[in-house]
Amino acid sequence: MIGKNIVASAYVENVEESFVAFAVATGEALEYKFFNASAKNIDEAVNAAKAAHQVYKKINKHLKASFLRTIAEEIEAIGEVLINRASAESGLPLARLTGELGRTTGQLRLFANLVEEGSWVNAIIDEAQPERKPLPKPDIRRMMVPLGPVVVFGASNFPLAFSVAGGDTASALAAGCPVIVKAHPAHPGTSALVGGAIVRAVEKMGLPKGVFSLLFDSGYTVGAALVAHPEVKAVTFTGSYKGGMALVKLAQERQQPIPVFAEMGSINPVILLPEALDERAEEIASTYAGSITLGAGQFCTNPGLLLAIQSPALQLFINKLVDLIKVVPSATMLTPGICENYQKLSQQILEEQGVELLSVSDALNDAAKNQALASVAKVTATAFLANPKLQEEIFGPYSLLVVAEDLIQLLQVVNVLEGQLTTTIMSAKNELSKYTDLLNRLTDVTGRLILNGVPTGVEVCAAMQHGGPFPATNDSRFTSVGSTAVYRFVRPLAWQDWEDELLPDELKKSNPLNIFRLTDQNWSKA
Amino acid sequence: MIGKNIVASAYVENVEESFVAFAVATGEALEYKFFNASAKNIDEAVNAAKAAHQVYKKINKHLKASFLRTIAEEIEAIGEVLINRASAESGLPLARLTGELGRTTGQLRLFANLVEEGSWVNAIIDEAQPERKPLPKPDIRRMMVPLGPVVVFGASNFPLAFSVAGGDTASALAAGCPVIVKAHPAHPGTSALVGGAIVRAVEKMGLPKGVFSLLFDSGYTVGAALVAHPEVKAVTFTGSYKGGMALVKLAQERQQPIPVFAEMGSINPVILLPEALDERAEEIASTYAGSITLGAGQFCTNPGLLLAIQSPALQLFINKLVDLIKVVPSATMLTPGICENYQKLSQQILEEQGVELLSVSDALNDAAKNQALASVAKVTATAFLANPKLQEEIFGPYSLLVVAEDLIQLLQVVNVLEGQLTTTIMSAKNELSKYTDLLNRLTDVTGRLILNGVPTGVEVCAAMQHGGPFPATNDSRFTSVGSTAVYRFVRPLAWQDWEDELLPDELKKSNPLNIFRLTDQNWSKA
């Protein structure tokens, strides 16, 4: 079945144009043909999702949790073929993909637990006061309800964890929304394998088939048509600023505008405080040589900007970083386009006023294609402040060190920073408390503040925030990682003076689901 | 000071064009001149708000609560002059405005209590697991933080409760955001009086002055410039679809797009089930004659659409409604423009295919200007289904009765309904449970479902949802009434492995503020 579009959990035949996948490290064509989805496929997928929504939106929470867990099991059951195909298509090493698979199934189970526990619906109850003067108070009960069909765009840099059954799909299904996935054309085989796992889970659980569709396209037509479809209620995307904003624009131009959650990347500033450098300049350089080049730098949390005040210790940091970057083995990038773009941008940046190359890897693997060589450049804060172009993300194993003359100039740089997914501070013990102005400013431009760590490696948990002020994401009020990602796909609905037996179980007087509810400002299971 | 713009809690002199207010019931000019704010006023107000944000965003919760309570006290201290001016400017009766004043101060105190209790920040904590394999788990703590300066547009139909110190201002200040109010030009004197109360509260509490500004404009220039200002982070608006969508567009065209919360009205369908009509047709007619004409129908929750299946009981309902509407005294509308528009639209609708006038009030008050006569029209479901124009809101004491031939046709009408703030069902005992398809559909198009009540009269409480699917509002995920309205102005921020003493009090290990926090899926004060 691999290669066929999946419409409402069923494989369909296409006669449209087809395409194949390539092993990015060798350039060789891989097995299976994939078919660009037709306008009919799109319409049927969305309409089936709309119909499924009428059932799935009020499905029993245990069944929904089992569905998510079954998807995880079905993915695990695919075995080595999945990791191997993902590695061929993405160029990512097997070890990384094995870890990513664990993250993917872990996310599905996290949302299963969230759904089964049930309190995530944020039930709020204000009981009636019939005797209140001058007017009686009605009984009002409110909870989150799902928006409807969600379109998920697979991301190139996480072929498992942010693709067909990744965090977006898991959180949308957890919210109670049917999902239509637009597969990323760089890893269609991986997408097809995971899509098959979801189809089997839908069948095993006896769910309405329209709860899942998977459509392929080597271009942009299918994605644009999905976003424009009147019955689609929300869209998720992880990728470039240009791609994200194009979808945002399409969604706003609809007769009924819908939310798009676009995670568009970030340069994730890392501020190296002076005492930290005095204490452990070389250790920090080691840590960051690793973070900058992890996964060929292809993370939205890649530390693309290092910021420090000039000092002898900073020179030690630079020397160590230069040495380490030089020997980082080249790595296969996700696609030829991403690789070309990285090579072009990491060269072009050196032509900008005051930017100088610090170090570039000379460990090229000649035997493989689409190789990225890690590189680090340096610029003065004065030049950085004068050139907004230096804040643009260069997707790959790259970072720019900005050297300030003093704390005042460092604060000036922080003041011009655009919105970021993360900001990290490397600090000595008791040093951080001397920088309250800096910290105060950072809270306005960041989604996550990290102390003495690295931004890469995003913990999947309830407290995670992966979403920052524009342009890191288009809507900083939501996260795409962690259990609160579910709130992207719901809205509140209130029932006033409703009959108890017709209320959703979450709101019934007896609290039959035994969930936490906010009654008179008290979270309790009463 | 009345009439002067307030920039950063200080009255400023203007030399720009000025305007006066009119008593809408008499057409007479009222005391005081008001000055259109200048570009300089706008820029200074927003920049002062930005500066104030750095302090106000982390202000002590007790001080913030006291500020909100002091605003309420200062408004109450204004005395009769406020209600009298509001009545002259808006045409609303004194009794209604006395009630609205109570709602306004009540809202301020509701948010003061919310802020003082403190759990609203949704603190979520995942503690570190340094021993976890293969990677240690970091300590992550997340809470809601304020977005920054908010622009509030005063609404014409609530000169107190949705104007200068109304629900939007109260919730934005509670969230920790400075507020710049664009006064509604229909009630500038009322706005100035309330603005003075806020200025006194800012002074008494010793808050940064930039936390509040109030700007006047008889046109649209000031509002547009405020929405376009790069340092403004969110906008609230209650009014027409056209006005709301114009602001949404401006906000999206900015270099950094910002959220707009536009509550754009609704026709608030009321479904009269057959057994309910059999039981109490005349009683329901009485209730609805009152709800349709309350406040001259100038509520976003006005029941503009009545929906029923033809029956002898429905005829009883019609007969009674016709008699009651005929004798409803005419009422002064908010502005000459609103009155003209009401007269025009309530006439034009009668020219649409199949629409017939059922009843119009003949109790005109000749002695007053800008009078609205209540009216009710009727149309068959067949004609309604064929004409989307009949779903457009007619702002005023008007409702359209749609008569279906049978349940199937009633469901067809429900299926074409656009997004609504509210939907109401009038039902006999045990009747509602026979309409599960209907109820299932209604949950997708409504923000609040009401049983055997009226949509007018929106309870201000934690469980209230006042916001429905597009076009009722542009973002159904938020509410403009009730304590959760505060969430319009915040976003999550996570701290990873942060030093405890530098965390906000809400996230410190010892929970010094004694708030509910979600730790390992448990809401507790631990």
Side-chain angles (χ1 to χ4, degrees), chain B residues 207-514:
Chain B
L207 292 176
K209 307 271 187 199
V211 85
F212 177 70
S213 292
L214 171 64
L215 303 180
F216 294 99
D217 186 12
S218 56
Y220 301 106
T221 319
V222 172
L226 283 169
V227 175
H229 196 292
E231 297 301 339
V232 167
K233 299 301 180 195
V235 175
T236 73
F237 171 84
T238 301
S240 68
Y241 176 81
K242 203 176 137 196
M245 289 308 286
L247 296 182
V248 168
K249 190 159 180 284
L250 277 176
Q252 287 170 347
E253 286 167 355
R254 294 164 47 112
Q255 201 188 341
Q256 182 182 95
I258 53 172
V260 172
F261 302 95
E263 199 269 73
M264 304 182 289
S266 181
I267 55 172
N268 303 293
V270 178
I271 300 167
L272 312 171
L273 293 182
E275 291 175 35
L277 285 174
D278 284 345
E279 258 183 33
R280 50 191 169 106
E282 298 202 330
E283 184 195 321
I284 295 174
S286 270
T287 302
Y288 272 87
S291 180
I292 293 164
T293 60
L294 190 71
Q298 299 167 122
F299 292 108
C300 12
T301 52
N302 195 59
L305 193 78
L306 307 172
L307 182 51
I309 299 168
Q310 61 184 13
S311 75
L314 179 62
Q315 196 53 52
L316 284 180
F317 168 85
I318 292 172
N319 296 345
K320 181 73 178 179
L321 188 64
V322 165
D323 291 348
L324 291 169
I325 290 294
K326 207 183 275 291
V327 297
V328 173
S330 71
T332 310
M333 296 198 86
L334 292 159
T335 69
I338 286 174
C339 190
E340 265 169 47
N341 213 39
Y342 170 66
Q343 282 163 348
K344 190 179 75 183
L345 295 177
S346 60
Q347 281 303 313
Q348 280 178 355
I349 198 80
L350 302 176
E351 290 159 28
E352 295 294 322
Q353 180 76 41
V355 178
E356 56 172 297
L357 183 67
L358 270 183
S359 180
V360 63
S361 160
D362 58 14
L364 178 66
N365 176 1
D366 280 327
K369 293 195 170 186
N370 298 306
Q371 296 296 295
L373 292 169
S375 69
V376 180
K378 189 177 93 163
V379 72
T380 62
T382 309
F384 183 85
L385 286 165
N387 188 355
K389 205 170 170 350
L390 300 183
Q391 285 204 48
E392 287 171 19
E393 185 184 13
I394 295 178
F395 191 72
Y398 165 83
S399 198
L400 177 66
L401 173 66
V402 178
V403 181
E405 286 168 22
D406 50 26
L407 178 59
I408 291 169
Q409 210 181 25
L410 186 140
L411 282 171
Q412 286 171 341
V413 170
V414 167
N415 275 328
V416 301
L417 286 178
E418 294 188 318
Q420 305 291 340
L421 288 170
T422 71
T423 301
T424 304
I425 300 193
M426 302 303 282
S427 158
K429 203 165 159 57
N430 302 323
E431 186 179 16
L432 195 59
S433 58
K434 299 170 194 165
Y435 294 87
T436 49
D437 280 358
L438 177 71
L439 297 180
N440 201 26
R441 165 67 187 160
L442 288 177
T443 59
D444 287 332
V445 293
T446 305
R448 178 166 52 116
L449 286 165
I450 302 155
L451 182 62
N452 290 326
V454 291
T456 43
V458 183
E459 184 69 28
V460 182
C461 62
M464 178 48 66
Q465 173 60 16
H466 189 68
F470 191 88
T473 61
N474 68 319
D475 193 341
S476 64
R477 298 168 300 170
F478 296 89
T479 178
S480 57
V481 177
S483 49
T484 61
V486 73
Y487 294 108
R488 293 177 294 173
F489 310 113
V490 291
R491 66 180 177 89
L493 175 58
W495 283 258
Q496 180 168 325
D497 289 333
W498 213 252
E499 287 182 17
D500 196 62
E501 59 271 34
L502 293 177
L503 284 168
D505 284 349
E506 288 86 346
L507 298 178
K508 287 193 168 91
K509 291 208 171 91
S510 63
N511 193 11
L513 300 183
N514 193 34

Side-chain angles (χ1 to χ4, degrees), chain A residues 104 134 154 220 222 272 317 326 334 344 378-379 409 447 494:
Chain A
T104 307
Y220 301 107
V222 171
L272 312 171
F317 168 86
K326 207 182 274 293
L334 293 159
K344 191 181 75 183
K378 189 179 94 165
V379 73
Q409 211 181 24

Side-chain angles (χ1 to χ4, degrees), chain A residues 327-497:
Chain A
V327 297
V328 173
S330 72
T332 311
M333 295 198 86
L334 293 159
T335 70
I338 286 173
C339 190
E340 266 169 47
N341 212 39
Y342 170 66
Q343 283 163 349
K344 191 181 75 183
L345 294 178
S346 60
Q347 281 305 311
Q348 280 178 357
I349 198 82
L350 301 175
E351 290 158 27
E352 294 294 322
Q353 180 76 39
V355 177
E356 55 172 299
L357 183 67
L358 270 185
S359 181
V360 64
S361 161
D362 58 14
L364 178 66
N365 176 2
D366 280 327
K369 294 194 171 187
N370 298 308
Q371 297 296 293
L373 292 168
S375 69
V376 180
K378 189 179 94 165
V379 73
T380 61
T382 309
F384 183 86
L385 286 164
N387 189 354
K389 205 169 172 339
L390 301 182
Q391 285 203 48
E392 287 171 18
E393 186 184 11
I394 296 179
F395 191 71
Y398 164 83
S399 196
L400 177 66
L401 172 67
V402 178
V403 181
E405 288 168 23
D406 49 26
L407 177 60
I408 291 168
Q409 211 181 24
L410 186 141
L411 282 170
Q412 285 170 342
V413 170
V414 167
N415 275 329
V416 302
L417 287 178
E418 294 187 317
Q420 305 291 339
L421 288 169
T422 71
T423 301
T424 303
I425 300 194
M426 302 304 280
S427 157
K429 202 164 157 60
N430 301 323
E431 185 179 15
L432 195 60
S433 58
K434 298 170 193 162
Y435 294 87
T436 49
D437 280 359
L438 176 70
L439 298 181
N440 201 25
R441 166 65 188 162
L442 288 177
T443 59
D444 287 333
V445 293
T446 304
R448 178 166 52 114
L449 286 165
I450 301 154
L451 183 61
N452 290 326
V454 291
T456 42
V458 183
E459 184 69 28
V460 182
C461 62
M464 178 48 66
Q465 173 60 15
H466 189 67
F470 191 89
T473 61
N474 70 318
D475 193 341
S476 65
R477 298 168 301 170
F478 296 89
T479 179
S480 57
V481 176
S483 49
T484 61
V486 73
Y487 294 108
R488 293 177 294 173
F489 310 114
V490 292
R491 66 179 177 89
L493 175 59
W495 283 259
Q496 181 169 326
D497 289 332

Side-chain angles (χ1 to χ4, degrees), chain A residues 284-286 288-290 292 306 316-326 358-359 376 399 401:
Chain A
I284 295 173
S286 270
Y288 272 87
I292 293 164
L306 307 172
L316 285 180
F317 168 86
I318 292 173
N319 296 344
K320 182 73 178 180
L321 189 64
V322 165
D323 292 348
L324 291 168
I325 291 293
K326 207 182 274 293
L358 270 185
S359 181
V376 180
S399 196
L401 172 67

